[in-house]
């Protein structure tokens, strides 16, 4: 199987990770000054990640975690998360994205009822980040490397091996769970509101979007909304919208077959000179240079499906 570079998933991903009968896929993520962030998003699958090089900042469910080479991260299904790097800092990671049903979370046995389903529903919370000084780290990193070997070699039975290893990884983390979901109600409400706004932006980024319009979705004042968004996403709402539009434009330019003007207009930029200026500021080259250089760039921009979603 081929490792894909997926650096800009949409806020609520519609893409299928892996195949229906084998809902698991490995992704290699590389962040740098050229592509410094994975925007805030969530999906129905869980993630198990190893940071292989460099360092980065994870934002998971409104909290911030500093991660560096060697760290492992577990992100449960439907958890809002994003990744960013600081200027001049690069990061590379390997992530296994898998649906909990692959582990039989939808069955009625004791493993599903007592552990897997509660993990999916966030009533049993496993640690997000596992650093080298964590008691479970030595064994868990061995499991990850065994997954790497099984996924790469694809020997007969490798699907069973990956399933067994993921179940073992889950079992290793369970003793370090939170005994109950201790999230305050307000925190859950804020997460729901942020997801709603990000989903709306994802669906309407090509249209005119304003702070008054978006703040009404949360029933916040404009001032409160701007502070709320920057606190939990890390950048201003307008900056976020601009970055999302530029990422969509880069993806479409890399696919070819469309003019720069057409791409810029379809991604919400009504002023071509502004688009050129902001694109060059973000990617270090003009859109036309980007088209020429796209085949040799150190990432593969995602391809959109027929609904315009990733």
């Amino acid at each position: 199987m081929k490792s894909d570079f997926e650096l800009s998933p949409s806020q609520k991903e519609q893409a299928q990770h892996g195949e229906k009968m084998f809902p698991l896929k490995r992704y290699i993520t590389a962040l740098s000054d050229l592509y410094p962030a994975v925007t805030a998003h969530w999906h129905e699958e869980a993630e198990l990640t190893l940071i292989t090089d460099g360092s980065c900042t994870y934002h998971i469910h409104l909290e911030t975690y500093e991660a560096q080479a060697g760290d492992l991260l577990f992100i449960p299904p439907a958890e809002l998360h994003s990744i960013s790097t600081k200027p001049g800092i690069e990061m590379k990671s390997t992530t296994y994205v898998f649906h909990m049903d692959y582990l039989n979370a939808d069955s009625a046995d004791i493993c599903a009822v007592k552990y897997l389903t509660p993990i999916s529903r966030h009533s049993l919370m496993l640690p997000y980040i596992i650093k080298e000084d964590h008691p479970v780290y030595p064994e868990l990193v061995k499991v990850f490397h065994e997954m790497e070997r099984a996924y790469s070699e694809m020997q007969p039975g490798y699907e069973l091996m990956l399933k067994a290893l993921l179940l073992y990884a889950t079992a290793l983390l369970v003793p370090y769970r939170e005994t109950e979901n201790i999230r305050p109600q307000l925190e859950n409400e804020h997460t729901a509101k942020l997801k709603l706004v990000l989903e709306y932006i994802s669906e309407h980024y090509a249209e005119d979007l304003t702070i008054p319009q978006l703040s009404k979705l949360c029933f916040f004042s404009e001032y409160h909304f701007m502070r709320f968004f920057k606190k939990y996403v890390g950048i201003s709402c307008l900056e976020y919208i601009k970055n999302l539009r530029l990422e969509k434009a880069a993806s479409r330019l890399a696919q070819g077959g469309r003019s720069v003007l057409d791409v810029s207009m379809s991604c919400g930029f009504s002023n071509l000179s502004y688009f050129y200026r902001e694109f060059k500021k973000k990617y270090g080259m003009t859109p036309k240079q980007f088209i020429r250089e796209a085949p040799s760039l150190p990432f593969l921009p995602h391809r959109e499906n027929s609904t315009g979603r990733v």
Side-chain angles (χ1 to χ4, degrees), residues 38-106:
V38 173
T39 54
H41 65 286
W42 72 98
H43 38 70
E44 294 180 357
E45 296 84 3
E47 293 184 11
L48 183 63
T49 295
L50 174 66
I51 308 297
T52 53
D53 291 291
S55 62
C56 63
T57 301
Y58 265 78
H59 300 278
I60 310 171
H61 189 73
L62 313 183
E63 297 292 336
T64 299
Y65 302 85
E66 298 300 328
Q68 59 187 10
D71 290 349
L72 290 155
L73 295 105
F74 175 81
I75 300 176
E79 197 76 292
L80 186 67
H81 58 286
S82 64
I83 318 170
S84 60
T85 54
K86 297 176 182 178
I89 302 296
E90 297 183 358
M91 184 280 287
K92 195 171 184 179
S93 66
T94 301
T95 297
Y96 286 89
V97 180
F98 61 96
H99 202 287
M100 293 297 289
D101 288 352
Y102 176 52
L103 307 186
N104 296 115
D106 57 345

Side-chain angles (χ1 to χ4, degrees), residues 47-289:
E47 293 184 11
L48 183 63
T49 295
L50 174 66
I51 308 297
T52 53
D53 291 291
S55 62
C56 63
T57 301
Y58 265 78
H59 300 278
I60 310 171
H61 189 73
L62 313 183
E63 297 292 336
T64 299
Y65 302 85
E66 298 300 328
Q68 59 187 10
D71 290 349
L72 290 155
L73 295 105
F74 175 81
I75 300 176
E79 197 76 292
L80 186 67
H81 58 286
S82 64
I83 318 170
S84 60
T85 54
K86 297 176 182 178
I89 302 296
E90 297 183 358
M91 184 280 287
K92 195 171 184 179
S93 66
T94 301
T95 297
Y96 286 89
V97 180
F98 61 96
H99 202 287
M100 293 297 289
D101 288 352
Y102 176 52
L103 307 186
N104 296 115
D106 57 345
S107 69
D109 65 20
I110 191 170
C111 296
V113 173
K114 194 173 180 180
Y115 304 112
L116 301 176
T117 299
I119 289 171
S120 297
R121 295 179 177 176
H122 298 170
S123 56
L124 190 159
M125 300 300 299
L126 303 182
Y128 287 138
I129 186 164
I130 303 94
K131 292 182 172 289
E132 292 184 2
D133 59 355
H134 194 286
V136 81
Y137 181 88
E139 191 65 21
L140 190 60
V141 78
K142 287 181 185 178
V143 171
F144 196 94
H145 290 314
E146 285 296 314
M147 290 178 61
E148 285 282 78
R149 186 171 70 175
Y151 193 94
S152 298
E153 295 178 358
M154 289 188 290
Q155 296 293 324
Y158 81 99
E159 301 96 335
L160 280 170
M161 180 62 71
L162 286 168
K163 183 175 183 176
L165 289 167
L166 283 171
L167 282 168
Y168 184 36
T170 304
L172 288 172
L173 290 171
V174 163
Y176 303 96
R177 69 195 185 279
E178 293 180 2
T179 55
E180 59 180 284
N181 188 349
I182 57 174
R183 291 177 176 174
Q185 179 63 26
L186 181 61
E187 187 175 307
N188 286 328
E189 290 176 2
H190 280 181
T191 299
K193 287 182 176 181
L194 186 56
K195 284 184 175 182
L196 178 64
V197 171
L198 294 175
E199 177 87 359
Y200 188 87
I201 293 172
S202 177
E203 293 175 349
H204 300 276
Y205 67 88
E207 306 168 15
D208 289 333
L209 293 173
T210 65
I211 296 300
Q213 174 188 4
L214 296 173
S215 62
K216 288 179 181 178
L217 296 174
C218 302
F219 299 97
F220 285 162
S221 69
E222 294 176 33
Y223 175 73
H224 188 186
F225 172 77
M226 288 188 292
R227 292 188 62 193
F228 164 80
F229 193 96
K230 187 167 186 178
K231 176 182 179 181
Y232 293 130
V233 179
I235 57 175
S236 72
C237 184
L238 294 179
E239 186 74 10
Y240 177 89
I241 293 170
K242 181 184 71 175
N243 282 336
L244 179 62
R245 287 169 171 168
L246 288 169
E247 289 167 3
K248 295 289 186 181
S251 178
R252 294 178 187 181
L253 289 171
Q255 294 177 47
R258 302 173 68 175
S259 69
V260 173
L261 177 60
D262 181 34
V263 167
S264 66
M265 295 291 287
S266 70
C267 293
F269 293 96
S270 57
N271 186 304
L272 187 59
S273 61
Y274 173 74
F275 172 67
Y276 262 82
R277 182 170 67 251
E278 294 302 317
F279 192 95
K280 186 173 183 179
K281 187 186 300 182
K282 181 177 177 66
Y283 293 106
M285 62 188 83
T286 68
K288 290 185 177 180
Q289 289 173 323

